[in-house]
Amino acid sequence: MFRSVRHRATLYALLLGLLAPTMGHTETVNGANTAWILTATALVLFMTIPGLSLFYAGLVRAKNVLSVLMQCFAITCAASLIWLVCGYSLAFGDGGSMNAWIGNLQNVMLAGVTKDSLAGDIPETVFFMFQMTFAIITPALIVGGFAERMRFSAVMLFSCFWLLVVYVPITHWVWGGGWLAEMGLLDFAGGTVVHITAGVAALVTAIVLGRRRGFQQQPMMPHNLTMTVTGAGMLWVGWFGFNGGSALAANGDAGMAMLVTHISAATGSLAWMMMEWIKHGKPSVLGIVTGMVAGLGTITPASGFVGPGGAVLIGFSAGIICYFATQMLKLRFRIDDSLDVFPVHGIGGILGTLLAGIFISADLGVFSGQGYAEGMAMDSQLKVQFIGVLSTLVYTAVLTFVLLKLVNLMVGLRVDDEQETQGLDISQHDERGYDI
């Protein structure tokens, strides 16, 4: 996804074409790479439904459990169609004179893409599907910022508009040959494209919508932590496809990405658990799974560039810093980011993108990564990383705010007080999650 990864994948494809027997239905298809990306695609979709759906659903109150499941499921369907119609073409097409900012519309409805079309040495349909799963999970992550109080019609309109106006352009900037790719931004699997965009959008949405009724005045405990832990386990497993698949090949890059992903998740979990143990005297299940997600999100942009030693430090930093960010956002600023999307994904994405510029260095001993591409010095790389973080943050915040105001004019953003008290399951879907 980063241009150096593309260069490696192209080189591997050329070498395999010369040295290996033909695999697949054309002379240039790499069967091993294709099989791995097919598997990774299934794993990333597994992250959203059922992984993220169950993780979020367990964290809300019982009267809103179906609403969260419905939102994740519906966003999956809508994002899939948007990606087919024009999202993929705009994100990965050659935009000509506008290529620094956006792609073209040559592949609308996958026009010109057949079963024999290739992206590198894998079928383009497989690349399309893999990238589609990223386009699905990113707006679904934002659900945690407005859970329990947004109209379902507003959720759908906002998610569709946001995917096209925010996610697609930033994807092109970073992975589609746009201006950040040309600068050399390190974002292997989505620190900027996925986690910063989703985290910032969730924060802006939480501020615009306002706090839930009774926020910090009455308990709003997760109604089913067993469900949340089940979803967390699915996220952990699915993340191997998320990061490992971003190598776009079944090779050492994919293997190292999976390794550092696991190490960071484990370290983040223990670091968050340690902070809770110190502060409250007991470790919590909610804390350890949240630390896992923080570790996973933070390693994501760096997963193709760092080694296991760097992954330990990245995961540890994620567990500590994201923990304090969560406390500060709720207690000091009193912002009701309901399921902690910004402090976990937003802060994690920012932290991981910046740390990628440090731990890629080959001069850090046991903490060394893969070394700088094209001879870029650490200070220059950190400058590029900072520009990537800042531009993604500002663009996402401004456009998210504008879209929220537009959707509010169209259908209204928030349910009324009576509907919120009743719960979104009944008020928005006329169903109950539990009938006991």
Side-chain angles (χ1 to χ4, degrees):
M1 299 166 86
F2 177 62
R3 58 180 176 176
S4 66
V5 176
R6 288 181 175 175
H7 293 163
R8 288 196 298 272
T10 302
L11 177 60
Y12 296 151
L14 291 173
L15 290 174
L16 286 169
L18 292 172
L19 301 177
T22 300
M23 294 179 288
H25 59 273
T26 73
E27 292 184 353
T28 52
V29 169
N30 185 300
N33 292 347
T34 300
W36 165 233
I37 304 305
L38 284 168
T39 304
T41 299
L43 285 170
V44 182
L45 182 60
F46 184 72
M47 289 175 65
T48 306
I49 48 173
L52 183 70
S53 304
L54 293 176
F55 184 82
Y56 276 176
L59 292 175
V60 298
R61 290 169 288 182
K63 62 184 179 179
N64 295 308
V65 58
L66 283 183
S67 70
V68 171
L69 293 171
M70 178 68 167
Q71 288 164 9
C72 290
F73 207 100
I75 287 171
T76 298
C77 299
S80 300
L81 293 180
I82 291 171
W83 196 247
L84 170 65
V85 172
C86 63
Y88 173 74
S89 188
L90 289 170
F92 290 98
D94 183 354
S97 61
M98 289 293 292
N99 192 60
W101 306 103
I102 198 69
N104 58 30
L105 294 172
Q106 290 182 359
N107 295 130
V108 166
M109 290 294 293
L110 284 189
V113 177
T114 70
K115 66 178 183 178
D116 297 320
S117 301
L118 296 178
D121 62 359
I122 65 174
E124 188 170 2
T125 52
V126 177
F127 180 75
F128 166 87
M129 279 291 297
F130 181 67
Q131 293 297 338
M132 184 179 71
T133 58
F134 283 69
I136 287 169
I137 197 170
T138 307
L141 286 170
I142 306 171
V143 167
F146 55 70
E148 302 194 301
R149 61 199 187 277
M150 189 180 249
R151 295 177 184 272
F152 182 67
S153 56
V155 171
M156 294 305 296
L157 283 174
F158 170 73
S159 298
C160 292
F161 291 157
W162 188 90
L163 181 65
L164 276 174
V165 176
V166 178
Y167 179 83
V168 165
I170 293 178
T171 299
H172 183 79
W173 298 354
V174 179
W175 294 336
W179 68 280
L180 287 175
E182 288 298 319
M183 288 185 66
L185 177 70
L186 300 174
D187 187 356
F188 190 74
T192 54
V193 176
V194 176
H195 295 289
I196 294 178
T197 59
V200 170
L203 178 64
V204 172
T205 305
I207 293 171
V208 171
L209 274 177
R211 297 184 285 267
R212 288 168 291 178
R213 289 175 55 82
F215 176 71
Q216 293 188 337
Q217 297 174 353
Q218 62 187 48
M220 294 184 177
M221 303 300 294
H223 89 281
N224 191 333
L225 276 178
T226 303
M227 183 183 292
T228 294
V229 175
T230 302
M234 294 174 179
L235 284 171
W236 194 334
V237 173
W239 225 289
F240 292 145
F242 198 87
N243 289 354
S246 294
L248 298 179
N251 58 17
D253 287 337
M256 182 61 77
M258 290 182 71
L259 170 59
V260 299
T261 296
H262 184 77
I263 294 300
S264 182
T267 309
S269 293
L270 294 177
W272 193 297
M273 182 187 76
M274 177 187 72
M275 293 306 304
E276 283 198 332
W277 211 334
I278 293 171
K279 185 170 183 179
H280 301 293
K282 295 180 181 179
S284 74
V285 172
L286 177 59
I288 198 169
V289 298
T290 306
M292 176 213 72
V293 176
L296 289 169
T298 306
I299 195 64
T300 291
S303 56
F305 310 115
V306 305
V312 170
L313 295 183
I314 288 174
F316 185 79
S317 301
I320 303 297
I321 294 173
C322 293
Y323 171 81
F324 280 112
T326 300
Q327 301 300 306
M328 183 175 293
L329 193 70
K330 289 186 180 297
L331 301 180
R332 181 172 180 179
F333 296 106
R334 290 175 52 82
I335 295 174
D336 188 13
D337 179 354
S338 311
L339 308 184
D340 300 323
V341 184
F342 178 72
V344 174
H345 293 278
I347 296 297
I350 292 169
L351 180 63
T353 303
L354 295 175
L355 290 179
I358 296 175
F359 290 109
I360 191 178
S361 172
D363 302 321
L364 300 176
V366 71
F367 301 107
S368 292
Q370 299 181 21
Y372 289 101
E374 301 176 5
M376 187 178 289
M378 182 184 292
D379 56 348
S380 299
Q381 187 65 63
L382 284 174
K383 181 180 178 181
V384 172
Q385 300 301 102
F386 180 78
I387 291 172
V389 166
L390 183 62
S391 59
T392 301
L393 192 154
V394 172
Y395 181 84
T396 301
V398 172
L399 269 295
T400 298
F401 180 81
V402 171
L403 290 176
L404 287 168
K405 292 299 182 180
L406 175 63
V407 172
N408 190 46
L409 290 173
M410 295 173 66
V411 297
L413 285 174
R414 185 164 179 161
V415 297
D416 60 37
D417 290 348
E418 181 180 349
Q419 291 173 324
E420 186 175 345
T421 300
Q422 185 181 35
L424 301 190
D425 289 0
I426 290 293
S427 67
Q428 299 298 293
H429 308 293
D430 199 23
E431 295 174 299
R432 296 182 187 276
Y434 307 99
D435 189 12
I436 301 175

